[in-house]
Amino acid sequence: MSSSFDELAKQAQSTFWGYVGFELEKAEQDEVTISLAIKQHHLNLMGIVHGGVFMTMLDNAMGLVLMLDPSVTTVTATMNTHFLSNVATGTIFCKAELLHRTKRTITMTASIYDESGKLLAYASGSYRLLS
C-alpha cells in the first residue's frame, strides 16, 4: 500500500470508518480489499451481523476504489445489495472493483466473504462524478 493510503487510513480512524472498525487490507488501481473483525455491536437481535453493517462495508470499499483517483470527486447515486448468507463471528472481508466508467458515472461492484471464502453479500453501485 502506498504511503498516501496509510495516511488516509490514519485520518479515517476518527470518522465513521474508524467507529465501525474497518481495516484497509489492500489497495491497488481499481481494486480495494477491507476487513472487519466482528464485535458484539455489529450484530442484530438475531445474533448475526446487521445488514446495515454489510451495506456500510460494501459502500466504503467501493468508495475507496474511487479515492484511488484523486482527480475525481463522487457521491453514491444508487446501490443494490444482495444478502446471501449470514455470519456472527470472525473477520469478514470486502473486495471492491471498478466495473465501468463514463464521463458522468462510475459503476462499481463489491463482495463480502467470511474467513473461509464463503460469499455473504454482494452489491453494485453507481457513483455520480461531481464537476
Side-chain angles (χ1 to χ4, degrees):
M1 284 183 282
S2 70
S3 62
S4 63
F5 264 94
D6 291 338
E7 182 60 29
L8 183 63
K10 183 178 175 183
Q11 291 174 6
Q13 290 307 309
S14 64
T15 69
F16 187 60
W17 165 280
Y19 177 78
V20 175
F22 297 131
E23 295 289 335
L24 180 59
E25 296 290 327
K26 179 174 120 180
E28 296 178 354
Q29 185 170 358
D30 297 340
E31 182 182 308
V32 165
T33 301
I34 65 174
S35 65
L36 177 68
I38 298 168
K39 307 283 188 217
Q40 181 66 33
H41 63 270
H42 296 125
L43 307 180
N44 61 23
L45 291 176
M46 294 172 48
I48 58 175
V49 173
H50 191 283
V53 173
F54 276 3
M55 293 180 79
T56 298
M57 189 174 202
L58 291 159
D59 190 41
N60 273 264
M62 289 188 284
L64 277 177
V65 172
L66 298 170
M67 289 180 191
L68 289 171
D69 183 351
S71 70
V72 300
T73 304
T74 64
V75 293
T76 306
T78 64
M79 191 168 111
N80 294 313
T81 306
H82 303 271
F83 302 99
L84 305 175
S85 192
N86 59 60
V87 65
T89 61
T91 299
I92 54 177
F93 301 88
C94 183
K95 179 180 176 184
E97 300 175 280
L98 190 142
L99 182 65
H100 184 261
R101 182 176 179 164
T102 69
K103 291 180 183 178
R104 294 186 210 147
T105 62
I106 297 175
T107 304
M108 307 288 302
T109 61
S111 300
I112 298 176
Y113 300 88
D114 68 9
E115 293 170 318
S116 71
K118 180 180 179 183
L119 181 61
L120 304 173
Y122 70 95
S124 61
S126 295
Y127 296 80
R128 185 168 46 92
L129 290 160
L130 303 176
S131 53

